[in-house]
Amino acid sequence: MTWTVRSPATKEVIGTLEETNGEQIHEMYASAAQAFASWSGLPISERIRFLRKVRLQIIEELDQIVKVISDSTGKVSVEALTTEVMTVVDSISHIEKRAAAALKTKRVKTPLTFIGKRSYIEYKPRGTVLVISPWNFPFQLSMIPIVEALAAGNAVILKPSEVTPLVGRLIEKLFTQAGFPAGLLQVAHGGKELGAALVKGKPDFIHFTGSVRTGKIIQTEAAKQLIPTLLELGGKDPMIVCADANLERAVQGALWGGFTNSGQVCMSVERVYVDQSVYQEFVDRLVEAAQHLRQGTAADSDIGSMTFPQQTAIIKEHVTEALDKGATLLAGDHPDKWEEDQMFIKPMILTNVNHGMAVMQEETFGPVLPIMAFETEEEAVALANDTRFGLNASIWTADLERGKQIVSRLITGNAVINDVIITVANPYLPYGGAKEGGIGAYHGDVGMQGFCVQTAVMVDKGRRKKEVNWFPYEGKYELFVRLIRSFWGENRNWRGFLAAYRQLLKKEPRK
């Protein structure tokens, strides 16, 4: 089936695409298995050579990539360039430098009780990895798991969002132009039915980024086949502004953290808690700053359109409910004034909100900043933790030690002090969530290692006839008691330990 793709910002047709039918899935997995057989046998240096080629291909096609992303999502060009393309090329560059060390067989210590043996961990690719990516950052959130999986030696099948399919086709083209082997990266285009069919096709690993609801469905289906998964899900990320914070910086941080990509970021600032003593000043400055943001499709616009029409309905529902319950709208348009198919939503600032409102509990995923005052640090931490999500948080204070102490009390996979969102763009840090923020993490060394089977190995030279813990057990109990007490007791007794160990060695098998 052919479907027509339109820009969410202009409604203009930007391309057409052929949907992948269910009959092709078996063939795709067969091709992936064949490609994996040769790719996994290549040395890491050779895999990295290919990844370098795709990085340089991205640089070569920079303007065209930005255009496809911007046309497909409605985000402004600067954001397409910085939050998508720049993050991806930096991540590939990081993998080029770190892959050999991260995936190298690692020798680890062996306890003295296993004297004469040595231990190591070997990282082996899993096979075929299924990457299911979202529409809000269709390039970044597809490319990074793809290149991590490929660096580790896997083959990949990508199922991009049906909302932004042209970005998926662009990714496929980039890898083809970079000369990657046929079947190593394949792109399947379609909706949730295709995604479900791909999961049932029994990949060796699933990397999913998207909603909590869909993540739970995938996890349930994967569990039936014991397929390991990595889930990057939702966020309702808090921002805590202390009395001693640099208010101008905090205001600008809230502005960008809440409204970048029209708030369609899982790590967006979705809740703001401000110390009562500076609350009104913060709110006044934020409302004033919001008036200067430019929205549209021009090169100098700050905020673009929404990407997914259905998301505007959720935003409308959250804001309308909050206003009906007594919240105050200080910036933006009342949802009653929106046009039926409106995709450009002016940034909204809400006060007089509370945790009985969906806008403070559920992921809004739009340009909405609800703000509450707090009186004590304990109250701020309790409010920040009062959520089923745990993806990201930010703390704003001049006292960095205080900021670190607050971070230590927050249940979150990521945190930033005096900034927002940026941990996801640091390729040296793992990225993952707590609670319904997700399961597992990628990025950093752990990202590449997560796409591997980690085999723990112990080696003995095989020269001794037997081990002390083997049969028979006759006469060994008291000797093991002496050994344990000598080695792990309050004061280590080396003489007692060695004496017990030597006597255990002397015990002969029954004839």
Side-chain angles (χ1 to χ4, degrees):
M1 182 183 78
T2 302
W3 87 78
T4 301
V5 185
R6 295 180 181 273
S7 166
T10 65
K11 306 294 193 298
E12 295 176 355
V13 174
I14 55 175
T16 58
L17 208 71
E18 289 295 324
E19 184 174 4
T20 303
N21 63 60
E23 296 175 358
Q24 294 174 269
I25 292 175
H26 177 74
E27 182 180 333
M28 292 182 78
Y29 275 108
S31 296
Q34 185 175 356
F36 167 73
S38 56
W39 178 257
S40 60
L42 293 178
I44 293 178
S45 59
E46 185 66 9
R47 293 182 221 149
I48 294 307
R49 187 180 69 82
F50 275 98
L51 292 178
R52 181 177 182 274
K53 288 171 68 176
V54 83
R55 172 172 59 83
L56 295 178
Q57 190 65 41
I58 292 170
I59 300 299
E60 181 72 21
E61 306 272 342
L62 204 63
D63 292 334
Q64 179 60 25
I65 294 171
V66 167
K67 180 173 173 28
V68 172
I69 295 170
S70 185
D71 287 347
S72 297
T73 62
K75 68 179 66 180
V76 297
S77 296
V78 170
E79 287 185 349
L81 178 64
T82 58
T83 66
E84 298 246 44
V85 181
M86 186 169 71
T87 301
V88 167
V89 293
D90 188 37
S91 294
I92 297 175
S93 179
H94 168 80
I95 289 169
E96 291 174 46
K97 297 171 186 174
R98 285 295 307 165
L103 301 173
K104 180 181 178 180
T105 296
K106 292 178 176 57
R107 184 171 180 176
V108 296
K109 290 184 177 181
T110 303
L112 182 64
T113 47
F114 292 110
I115 189 169
K117 305 181 192 300
R118 60 187 178 89
S119 308
Y120 64 88
I121 302 169
E122 184 177 0
Y123 298 94
K124 297 177 285 191
R126 294 180 179 272
T128 299
V129 172
L130 172 61
V131 174
I132 303 177
S133 60
W135 48 261
N136 61 324
F137 288 92
F139 191 68
Q140 180 203 144
L141 297 180
S142 297
M143 285 293 293
I144 293 178
I146 286 172
V147 295
E148 287 186 343
L150 291 174
N154 300 282
V156 177
I157 295 175
L158 169 67
K159 208 296 277 184
S161 170
E162 64 274 25
V163 178
T164 53
L166 298 184
V167 178
R169 187 167 71 182
L170 167 72
I171 290 171
E172 188 173 30
K173 178 184 174 184
L174 287 170
F175 280 89
T176 299
Q177 290 175 326
F180 275 70
L184 190 63
L185 171 68
Q186 301 172 82
V187 181
H189 295 285
K192 61 183 180 180
E193 294 81 8
L194 177 65
L198 286 165
V199 171
K200 290 181 180 178
K202 297 185 178 181
D204 298 294
F205 189 81
I206 299 172
H207 184 289
F208 170 78
T209 306
S211 71
V212 173
R213 179 180 175 275
T214 304
K216 288 180 177 180
I217 293 171
I218 289 173
Q219 181 80 342
T220 299
E221 290 303 311
K224 293 176 182 178
Q225 303 177 63
L226 294 180
I227 300 171
T229 59
L230 192 156
L231 307 179
E232 294 301 330
L233 306 176
K236 191 68 184 175
D237 303 333
M239 173 178 179
I240 298 174
V241 182
C242 299
D244 65 344
N246 179 335
L247 278 195
E248 181 58 28
R249 180 174 175 82
V251 164
Q252 294 301 322
L255 206 65
W256 187 77
F259 300 145
T260 184
N261 198 32
S262 291
Q264 300 168 114
V265 187
C266 54
M267 301 178 80
S268 284
V269 174
E270 289 227 358
R271 300 176 286 150
V272 185
Y273 302 102
V274 185
D275 188 284
Q276 182 69 58
S277 65
V278 295
Y279 172 80
Q280 194 57 54
E281 182 182 358
F282 177 89
V283 171
D284 291 344
R285 288 192 182 193
L286 185 65
V287 172
E288 168 65 21
Q291 309 307 318
H292 299 289
L293 293 175
R294 296 178 178 177
Q295 189 170 35
T297 58
D300 60 353
S301 295
D302 301 307
I303 301 175
S305 74
M306 297 294 294
T307 301
F308 191 35
Q310 282 86 328
Q311 194 62 40
T312 62
I314 295 173
I315 298 166
K316 185 174 184 178
E317 179 184 326
H318 286 189
V319 174
T320 300
E321 186 226 33
L323 295 174
D324 289 346
K325 288 184 175 181
T328 302
L329 183 64
L330 297 182
D333 295 331
H334 192 291
D336 289 347
K337 298 180 180 179
W338 297 2
E339 296 178 7
E340 185 176 346
D341 60 348
Q342 184 166 325
M343 294 297 285
F344 285 93
I345 299 178
K346 291 182 180 179
M348 290 176 281
I349 298 171
L350 294 170
T351 56
N352 296 321
V353 293
N354 60 63
H355 276 219
M357 301 173 179
V359 77
M360 295 298 286
Q361 290 291 322
E362 301 300 323
E363 188 173 33
T364 304
F365 219 62
V368 183
L369 274 178
I371 311 172
M372 283 181 66
F374 67 84
E375 294 184 358
T376 67
E377 185 178 298
E378 288 69 26
E379 181 188 8
V381 170
L383 288 168
N385 283 333
D386 181 26
T387 175
R388 60 192 177 95
F389 299 100
L391 185 58
N392 189 43
S394 68
I395 297 87
W396 299 74
T397 175
D399 184 344
L400 297 186
E401 286 307 312
R402 180 189 191 190
K404 293 175 184 177
Q405 289 172 11
I406 294 175
V407 166
S408 297
R409 296 160 64 191
L410 297 177
I411 305 170
T412 182
N414 304 269
V416 190
I417 298 174
N418 295 325
D419 207 329
V420 289
I421 299 177
I422 56 171
T423 54
V424 70
N426 182 348
Y428 291 89
L429 287 174
Y431 172 62
K435 297 191 280 188
E436 291 194 9
I439 298 175
Y442 68 123
H443 294 201
D445 288 359
V446 71
M448 290 176 276
Q449 293 166 357
F451 287 104
C452 295
V453 173
Q454 299 184 29
T455 301
V457 183
M458 290 182 70
V459 179
D460 187 278
K461 293 181 179 179
R463 294 172 181 172
R464 291 201 302 261
K465 293 180 179 179
K466 61 183 179 62
E467 296 294 324
V468 297
N469 57 295
W470 291 359
F471 301 131
Y473 292 153
E474 182 180 353
K476 290 186 175 181
Y477 183 86
E478 290 300 328
L479 291 174
F480 272 116
V481 167
R482 284 167 51 193
L483 182 145
I484 292 168
R485 287 177 173 165
S486 298
F487 195 75
W488 286 287
E490 185 174 353
N491 296 306
R492 185 159 290 175
N493 180 350
W494 284 108
R495 181 175 295 179
F497 171 81
L498 293 172
Y501 189 79
R502 288 191 184 105
Q503 289 184 58
L504 284 166
L505 283 175
K506 291 178 181 177
K507 294 289 182 181
E508 293 290 338
R510 295 189 186 97
K511 301 295 185 180

